[in-house]
Structures are given as C-alpha cells and as structure tokens.
Amino acid sequence: MTQPPHDEPTAANPEELREQVEQTRAELGETVEALAARTDVKARAQEKATAVKEQAAAKATAVKDQAAAKATAVKDQAAAKAGELKTRAADLAHQAQDQLPAPVKDKAAVAAEQARAKAAQAGRLWHDKAPEPVQQTSAKVGRATRDHRGLVLAVAGTAVLLWLVGRRKG
C-alpha cells in the first residue's frame, strides 16, 4: 500500500475518503483552469486591451473635464477683465468731460448736432443709393454701435480731448 502525502490526514472511513477525493478533484480542476487561463494568450490579450481601453477612456474624460474647467476659468477671468476695462474707460471719459471748459463743451454740442443732421441726410442718401446686402451689413454695424454706445462715446471723448491737448501744445 502507498503512503498518503504528509500534509493530508488519512481517511478513517470510505466516506471521508470520498470527500477527500472530491476535494482533491475540485482543487485539481481549479488548478487546471488557472493554468489554461495563463496559456490562453488571446484571452489575456483581450483582457489587457480592454483594461488599457478603459484606462484611456478614463484618462480622456479626466483631461476633457480638466480642459473644460480651465476654459471656464479663463472665460470668467476675461469677462471680469473686460468689465474692469469698461468701467475704467467710462471713468476716464467722465473725467475728460469734467475737465473740458464750457466753451469747448458748447462747441462740441453744436458740432454733435451738426453731425447728427449730416448723418441723417447721409442716411437718407445711403438708403436711396446703396445695394441691399451693403445696407444689411451696415445695419448690423449700427446696431452694434448702439449696443455699445458708452464705449463709443468714451473713445470719441478721449479722441477729442487728445486733439485739444495736441492743439494747445502745438
């Protein structure tokens, strides 16, 4: 008779022997499956490819989210800076207007009224003579100018102030 392995106790009866055989078969089956899985190169390659694909998708999502967050932050900073610049321009325009002497303001008001009259006359002439596509484009520009009237006035006021300062020095 053969000796049992050192780590396994001997069976006392046939029922225990059957249980030991079943347990050994189960362990042997698991070992064979594990070895078969290790030797199945195609399945291991597919598993690895799937894992790499999932990692790449996760990384792409993370990078996309990071880029979106950066874009939002930059957009917010730009909007804040634009607001600051608009406020500063308006303040400078008011300062320039406050420093103008009364005769200059009166002349500017007269010149503005004359400019409005000439603009109205030019507008009527334009409407009569200009082609439709050109009229549409100019209407868009006019709307943009009206929408940003404060900025346009600030720039115009600054230009007049600079012109006056240049005239006094020259």
Side-chain angles (χ1 to χ4, degrees):
M1 199 159 207
T2 61
Q3 291 255 338
H6 300 288
D7 59 347
E8 292 186 18
T10 58
N13 60 39
E15 186 60 36
E16 285 181 18
L17 185 60
R18 282 188 195 103
E19 287 177 17
Q20 286 179 359
V21 167
E22 285 301 317
Q23 184 179 355
T24 303
R25 282 183 184 157
E27 290 173 359
L28 183 61
E30 290 173 6
T31 303
V32 168
E33 285 179 14
L35 289 172
R38 283 186 180 176
T39 59
D40 188 0
V41 176
K42 183 177 179 183
R44 289 178 64 193
Q46 286 177 342
E47 289 173 2
K48 185 69 173 176
T50 301
V52 169
K53 184 178 176 183
E54 289 172 356
Q55 287 176 346
K59 186 70 172 175
T61 301
V63 168
K64 178 183 167 190
D65 293 345
Q66 201 174 29
K70 280 278 192 196
T72 301
V74 168
K75 180 181 171 187
D76 292 345
Q77 287 175 348
K81 194 65 166 176
E84 290 175 18
L85 291 174
K86 184 177 179 182
T87 302
R88 242 164 121 194
D91 290 345
L92 288 173
H94 287 299
Q95 288 175 3
Q97 287 176 351
D98 292 344
Q99 292 178 359
L100 287 177
V104 172
K105 287 181 185 178
D106 294 340
K107 286 182 182 181
V110 169
E113 185 56 40
Q114 289 174 350
R116 281 189 205 101
K118 288 288 186 184
Q121 181 183 5
R124 287 189 296 274
L125 181 62
W126 172 259
H127 185 68
D128 294 342
K129 303 286 182 178
E132 185 63 29
V134 175
Q135 287 183 13
Q136 290 175 353
T137 302
S138 65
K140 287 180 186 177
V141 170
R143 282 191 296 275
T145 303
R146 278 191 301 278
D147 291 345
H148 303 294
R149 184 175 296 165
L151 182 60
V152 171
L153 289 175
V155 170
T158 304
V160 167
L161 180 64
L162 291 173
W163 177 72
L164 289 173
V165 169
R167 263 185 81 191
R168 284 186 183 172
K169 288 183 179 179

